[in-house]
Amino acid sequence: MGDMANSSIEFHPKPQQQQEVPHVGGFGCTLAELRSLMELRGAEALQKIQEAYGDVSGLCRRLKTSPTEGLADNTNDLEKRRQIYGQNFIPPKQPKTFLQLVWEALQDVTLIILEVAAIVSLGLSFYAPPGEESEACGNVSGGAEDEGEAEAGWIEGAAILLSVICVVLVTAFNDWSKEKQFRGLQSRIEQEQKFTVIRNGQLLQVPVAALVVGDIAQVKYGDLLPADGVLIQGNDLKIDESSLTGESDHVRKSADKDPMLLSGTHVMEGSGRMVVTAVGVNSQTGIIFTLLGAGGEEEEKKDKKGKQQDGAMDSSQTRAKKQDGAVAMEMQPLKSAEGGEMEEREKKKANVPKKEKSVLQGKLTKLAVQIGKAGLVMSAITVIILVLYFVIETFVVDGRVWLAECTPVYVQYFVKFFIIGVTVLVVAVPEGLPLAVTISLAYSVKKMMKDNNLVRHLDACETMGNATAICSDKTGTLTTNRMTVVQSYLGDTHYKEIPAPSALTPKILDLLVHAISINSAYTTKILPPEKEGALPRQVGNKTECALLGFILDLKRDFQPVREQIPEDQLYKVYTFNSVRKSMSTVIRMPDGGFRLFSKGASEILLKKCTNILNSNGELRGFRPRDRDDMVKKIIEPMACDGLRTICIAYRDFSAIQEPDWDNENEVVGDLTCIAVVGIEDPVRPEVPEAIRKCQRAGITVRMVTGDNINTARAIAAKCGIIQPGEDFLCLEGKEFNRRIRNEKGEIEQERLDKVWPKLRVLARSSPTDKHTLVKGIIDSTTGEQRQVVAVTGDGTNDGPALKKADVGFAMGIAGTDVAKEASDIILTDDNFTSIVKAVMWGRNVYDSISKFLQFQLTVNVVAVIVAFTGACITQDSPLKAVQMLWVNLIMDTFASLALATEPPTESLLLRKPYGRDKPLISRTMMKNILGHAVYQLTIIFTLLFVGELFFDIDSGRNAPLHSPPSEHYTIIFNTFVMMQLFNEINARKIHGERNVFDGIFSNPIFCTIVLGTFGIQIVIVQFGGKPFSCSPLSTEQWLWCLFVGVGELVWGQVIATIPTSQLKCLKEAGHGPGKDEMTDEELAEGEEEIDHAERELRRGQILWFRGLNRIQTQNFLSLFTLFRSTVS
């Protein structure tokens, strides 16, 4: 900074008399000055600017920038500005370290129980009481125990601890990589965020982080402001400042009344230019973020107590504290340099009903609780039976007395029983399920990036698999969004192609060129093509590009007109919005009068026309009768060709009396029509096929557009949304509202239910209509299952519909920041076919989780029954604690990796959506689970009770406490694992397919894991020894184990032969929570509750136990939100 201060200092002459103070780096403002300026609003701010700088251009001079040319694009100057005023970047919160994640993983209830058991077991093994050898304590140490073995009593405890460490490390590593992935995703979202600035008089798109103080930025409809600034010139600018102030009304901004623009606020209407005065941590949003960072620790404590602060900023603080790691960045979802998002959510939370749990999340939570209950009961019964059996046998049957010196020995037995009980619980609770869900989703999200889907909320990708309806925009999604004028009506003539310039009267041509050049955003241009022979580049609003292209086709140019009348000389601009459906610009004429140019939807603007130009360019009256004539002969034929019709008109005002510009209806009326043009936006070639795929997959596609109904119908027919001969409805917004509202004008669900099932096209719709339709379809209860609706949107006004939908898709190219902010998935190529890809991935996630469940539950059922019956009959579980933990590891972590990463196939699109009520475990899956469990139990019990005779080895049953591992039990353990390995291959198919090997090599992860597990199993059995309670097996014994394992595949074919329809007794499991089970309290419980959990329970396994703890209240906390916490 020192050398900065010594750099040359320039003085600028000032209009005011104040003496200018030289500041650091030669700029006329200090950082503190600008910060205090940005804290003022409205009149105060204006007064301060006038006192200190004269006016905004004075401020620009002090910041050494030009209001029209912007900064010189010179790197030294930009770097110097960054050093003095900071850079436009808010540093994210530090991610959790690996050690923190390890510590979190250790908080898991089952692991804690196991750790305690292992430590007690360890402690007791080192304690040798004097009475141990005496007969008094019963057959505690009889049998094959020698000195060496007695010494090895500690191994079991140590092995349990070791396996706990393994589980913890694996979990922590998973969390860590998950967080890393989301950070990557986040930074990608941030890098894509660009903003328009003027440098060297050129418009440039620069990354948001590259903005510096003194930049002149172009602000337009739909932007999310990335920095604080002062407005230099604005047209009809309205800002939504609710993210900072909590006020939901839009604030009008103008250079002469309230010029202060703040970062993190949304531009809802209009356009303008601002000079950037504060960036990064010095902007209003940055200041709030810094406060959050500082108030961190106390805030955390308050949060835990669940205190809620009030006021917009406080709520933003609690909100921000609740996020962590990747999430802290998600609070600035599309930029690192704006915040306000979390307050925005805070506000929305107040008035938007909580988004229901995702479908999968509801089903999983319910299933988890059921399994957890069963596991708890089984483990408790196991421990009780073992203890009772031991006590009765020792003290009643053998009639022994409890001696003091025998206490440690007996306690050791009880600890062993306790460990067995805990092991049953560990195996019963599928803590790998959250892991499978996370891995499956994270894997899908990563792959979906390649398919042009940028997923912002994890569960959106799974919900998409259940989608039953898609409400799509027309422009840009179904069409190419490259518009061209193909027909026109000029001077009483309908031209089917572009007219020759000589055919038009010079007056008409001149008026047309001026009307189009001036009355369109000056940021919209047509640039020469990038490559030789390519089409010219369209920059800005595509409809305006089509009109500018029309001027070029008429061999005229729009640039000279714009240079003659620059943007700051426009007298008044009424910008386009969804209510007006038109845009008008007023200029001052040389004679002191005014001329207004207007363009907009033809049927709306023609109603305001009272004159029309004839072939000589003279005015002729235009009566309602002429209008109806024109609609019939010109507009409808154009619309039926799928063209969007735009009317261009003008009006002159005399210099005598200036009209009241705020009375818009008066001003934009009594117009003279210059021309009506038909704009073509061709359907994307790949869309009809994509829509056919959707219809085959049981998804209804509806088109919701602001266009004329005839245009919309023509495009819908081209896309295949409506088929000739089908019974469908195409409605305009007005007619739609008339049908769904009662006499009082209220929307009635019954009326809506009569309309939406047949509705395919909704034209001339307002954003409210779109929201009403989406809400109506979601809330409807007419069908056999509730609809799951996906919506696409690009405009600021699509925000409510995107938020309401089950999955909101925003356009990555054409979409405004506000739309992206409200969405769940961003389509980076704006293409409808990417939505079909998202459906495929979503269904794949659902299937992956079902595959994992089918595999996991088979293992659970078998392991629990074996441990339970084994313990009851032989006082010892045939599968030891360490072995169970290893089985748990392969079942959970490895299997979830293997089965959750299956790539999707086109065949997923051949079935109907599962819907909300379809259970996770279908009857076919239940048949597979029980069928394979029967096979495995038969084998294991056969081996347990008669195995020693078959293999001619010593029996392992009723072995004393520290006896060495027996071959008998090792064979049981090995056979069990082999059966799981081969059953993992069976689990790849869940719909009863015969070929379980289909596409197995397209998933290298699966093959690696199966072979890897097999390798490790060989090592454990042959060299595991005492810690794993294994004794090495001979080749023959190994072959038998393998043979029984392969039998799983054969048995799988047998099961597939049994028709599911015959097995009426099979129940499905894992339904979504029924309507009656959703208590009012639960529905009312805001996201606040969930967010607390999100913050504290970043980890999978705990969820299950959180679920178990809450069984009493039946108030199931969502499982999935916890995974969402990593992203949302």
Side-chain angles (χ1 to χ4, degrees), residues 1-14:
M1 282 297 260
D3 55 354
M4 282 288 151
N6 301 334
S7 59
S8 64
I9 293 169
E10 299 170 30
F11 290 93
H12 289 287
K14 286 288 304 250

PDB file of all heavy atoms in Angstrom, residues 1-14:
ATOM      1  N   MET A   1       0.837  -1.201   0.000  1.00  0.00           N
ATOM      2  CA  MET A   1       0.000   0.000   0.000  1.00  0.00           C
ATOM      3  C   MET A   1       0.872   1.251   0.000  1.00  0.00           C
ATOM      4  O   MET A   1       0.477   2.277  -0.541  1.00  0.00           O
ATOM      5  CB  MET A   1      -0.904   0.043   1.246  1.00  0.00           C
ATOM      6  CG  MET A   1      -2.109  -0.843   1.166  1.00  0.00           C
ATOM      7  SD  MET A   1      -3.237  -0.390  -0.146  1.00  0.00           S
ATOM      8  CE  MET A   1      -4.465   0.515   0.775  1.00  0.00           C
ATOM      9  N   GLY A   2       2.111   1.156   0.585  1.00  0.00           N
ATOM     10  CA  GLY A   2       2.951   2.340   0.695  1.00  0.00           C
ATOM     11  C   GLY A   2       3.205   2.968  -0.660  1.00  0.00           C
ATOM     12  O   GLY A   2       3.021   4.159  -0.868  1.00  0.00           O
ATOM     13  N   ASP A   3       3.657   2.115  -1.612  1.00  0.00           N
ATOM     14  CA  ASP A   3       3.988   2.670  -2.932  1.00  0.00           C
ATOM     15  C   ASP A   3       2.752   3.250  -3.605  1.00  0.00           C
ATOM     16  O   ASP A   3       2.830   4.148  -4.420  1.00  0.00           O
ATOM     17  CB  ASP A   3       4.635   1.612  -3.809  1.00  0.00           C
ATOM     18  CG  ASP A   3       3.795   0.385  -3.947  1.00  0.00           C
ATOM     19  OD1 ASP A   3       2.750   0.300  -3.258  1.00  0.00           O
ATOM     20  OD2 ASP A   3       4.162  -0.498  -4.725  1.00  0.00           O
ATOM     21  N   MET A   4       1.591   2.705  -3.246  1.00  0.00           N
ATOM     22  CA  MET A   4       0.347   3.228  -3.808  1.00  0.00           C
ATOM     23  C   MET A   4       0.204   4.693  -3.430  1.00  0.00           C
ATOM     24  O   MET A   4      -0.166   5.534  -4.222  1.00  0.00           O
ATOM     25  CB  MET A   4      -0.854   2.497  -3.214  1.00  0.00           C
ATOM     26  CG  MET A   4      -1.060   1.160  -3.829  1.00  0.00           C
ATOM     27  SD  MET A   4      -1.686   1.428  -5.475  1.00  0.00           S
ATOM     28  CE  MET A   4      -1.046  -0.005  -6.266  1.00  0.00           C
ATOM     29  N   ALA A   5       0.476   4.964  -2.160  1.00  0.00           N
ATOM     30  CA  ALA A   5       0.254   6.320  -1.666  1.00  0.00           C
ATOM     31  C   ALA A   5       1.173   7.306  -2.378  1.00  0.00           C
ATOM     32  O   ALA A   5       0.842   8.464  -2.557  1.00  0.00           O
ATOM     33  CB  ALA A   5       0.476   6.367  -0.173  1.00  0.00           C
ATOM     34  N   ASN A   6       2.352   6.818  -2.800  1.00  0.00           N
ATOM     35  CA  ASN A   6       3.290   7.753  -3.426  1.00  0.00           C
ATOM     36  C   ASN A   6       3.015   7.957  -4.906  1.00  0.00           C
ATOM     37  O   ASN A   6       3.674   8.736  -5.555  1.00  0.00           O
ATOM     38  CB  ASN A   6       4.717   7.239  -3.269  1.00  0.00           C
ATOM     39  CG  ASN A   6       5.049   7.071  -1.812  1.00  0.00           C
ATOM     40  OD1 ASN A   6       4.457   7.761  -0.989  1.00  0.00           O
ATOM     41  ND2 ASN A   6       5.967   6.168  -1.483  1.00  0.00           N
ATOM     42  N   SER A   7       2.087   7.191  -5.456  1.00  0.00           N
ATOM     43  CA  SER A   7       1.880   7.313  -6.898  1.00  0.00           C
ATOM     44  C   SER A   7       1.271   8.674  -7.200  1.00  0.00           C
ATOM     45  O   SER A   7       0.722   9.336  -6.339  1.00  0.00           O
ATOM     46  CB  SER A   7       0.963   6.204  -7.392  1.00  0.00           C
ATOM     47  OG  SER A   7      -0.244   6.303  -6.729  1.00  0.00           O
ATOM     48  N   SER A   8       1.362   9.065  -8.474  1.00  0.00           N
ATOM     49  CA  SER A   8       1.006  10.437  -8.848  1.00  0.00           C
ATOM     50  C   SER A   8      -0.425  10.767  -8.434  1.00  0.00           C
ATOM     51  O   SER A   8      -1.325   9.954  -8.554  1.00  0.00           O
ATOM     52  CB  SER A   8       1.128  10.584 -10.344  1.00  0.00           C
ATOM     53  OG  SER A   8       0.191   9.739 -10.951  1.00  0.00           O
ATOM     54  N   ILE A   9      -0.600  11.979  -7.972  1.00  0.00           N
ATOM     55  CA  ILE A   9      -1.920  12.422  -7.526  1.00  0.00           C
ATOM     56  C   ILE A   9      -2.400  13.485  -8.493  1.00  0.00           C
ATOM     57  O   ILE A   9      -1.704  14.465  -8.741  1.00  0.00           O
ATOM     58  CB  ILE A   9      -1.834  12.993  -6.093  1.00  0.00           C
ATOM     59  CG1 ILE A   9      -1.482  11.856  -5.140  1.00  0.00           C
ATOM     60  CG2 ILE A   9      -3.125  13.671  -5.692  1.00  0.00           C
ATOM     61  CD1 ILE A   9      -1.122  12.323  -3.783  1.00  0.00           C
ATOM     62  N   GLU A  10      -3.597  13.298  -9.059  1.00  0.00           N
ATOM     63  CA  GLU A  10      -4.085  14.292 -10.013  1.00  0.00           C
ATOM     64  C   GLU A  10      -5.191  15.100  -9.367  1.00  0.00           C
ATOM     65  O   GLU A  10      -5.971  14.579  -8.593  1.00  0.00           O
ATOM     66  CB  GLU A  10      -4.663  13.587 -11.247  1.00  0.00           C
ATOM     67  CG  GLU A  10      -3.617  12.759 -11.966  1.00  0.00           C
ATOM     68  CD  GLU A  10      -4.275  11.886 -13.018  1.00  0.00           C
ATOM     69  OE1 GLU A  10      -5.312  12.310 -13.552  1.00  0.00           O
ATOM     70  OE2 GLU A  10      -3.749  10.801 -13.283  1.00  0.00           O
ATOM     71  N   PHE A  11      -5.253  16.380  -9.747  1.00  0.00           N
ATOM     72  CA  PHE A  11      -6.364  17.208  -9.278  1.00  0.00           C
ATOM     73  C   PHE A  11      -7.315  17.424 -10.430  1.00  0.00           C
ATOM     74  O   PHE A  11      -6.884  17.646 -11.556  1.00  0.00           O
ATOM     75  CB  PHE A  11      -5.856  18.553  -8.768  1.00  0.00           C
ATOM     76  CG  PHE A  11      -5.109  18.424  -7.491  1.00  0.00           C
ATOM     77  CD1 PHE A  11      -3.738  18.262  -7.463  1.00  0.00           C
ATOM     78  CD2 PHE A  11      -5.802  18.416  -6.287  1.00  0.00           C
ATOM     79  CE1 PHE A  11      -3.069  18.112  -6.275  1.00  0.00           C
ATOM     80  CE2 PHE A  11      -5.126  18.277  -5.086  1.00  0.00           C
ATOM     81  CZ  PHE A  11      -3.760  18.125  -5.075  1.00  0.00           C
ATOM     82  N   HIS A  12      -8.629  17.355 -10.154  1.00  0.00           N
ATOM     83  CA  HIS A  12      -9.609  17.640 -11.203  1.00  0.00           C
ATOM     84  C   HIS A  12     -10.257  18.965 -10.891  1.00  0.00           C
ATOM     85  O   HIS A  12     -10.651  19.198  -9.757  1.00  0.00           O
ATOM     86  CB  HIS A  12     -10.695  16.566 -11.209  1.00  0.00           C
ATOM     87  CG  HIS A  12     -10.172  15.271 -11.723  1.00  0.00           C
ATOM     88  ND1 HIS A  12      -9.893  15.058 -13.030  1.00  0.00           N
ATOM     89  CD2 HIS A  12      -9.840  14.122 -11.060  1.00  0.00           C
ATOM     90  CE1 HIS A  12      -9.424  13.843 -13.184  1.00  0.00           C
ATOM     91  NE2 HIS A  12      -9.376  13.253 -12.002  1.00  0.00           N
ATOM     92  N   PRO A  13     -10.421  19.834 -11.848  1.00  0.00           N
ATOM     93  CA  PRO A  13     -11.181  21.055 -11.587  1.00  0.00           C
ATOM     94  C   PRO A  13     -12.612  20.662 -11.252  1.00  0.00           C
ATOM     95  O   PRO A  13     -13.147  19.734 -11.837  1.00  0.00           O
ATOM     96  CB  PRO A  13     -11.122  21.801 -12.919  1.00  0.00           C
ATOM     97  CG  PRO A  13     -10.751  20.768 -13.931  1.00  0.00           C
ATOM     98  CD  PRO A  13      -9.993  19.711 -13.227  1.00  0.00           C
ATOM     99  N   LYS A  14     -13.224  21.370 -10.289  1.00  0.00           N
ATOM    100  CA  LYS A  14     -14.570  21.005  -9.857  1.00  0.00           C
ATOM    101  C   LYS A  14     -15.537  22.128 -10.158  1.00  0.00           C
ATOM    102  O   LYS A  14     -15.178  23.279 -10.059  1.00  0.00           O
ATOM    103  CB  LYS A  14     -14.587  20.781  -8.342  1.00  0.00           C
ATOM    104  CG  LYS A  14     -13.953  19.540  -7.881  1.00  0.00           C
ATOM    105  CD  LYS A  14     -14.786  18.340  -8.229  1.00  0.00           C
ATOM    106  CE  LYS A  14     -16.163  18.444  -7.688  1.00  0.00           C
ATOM    107  NZ  LYS A  14     -16.528  17.592  -6.634  1.00  0.00           N
TER     108      LYS A  14
END
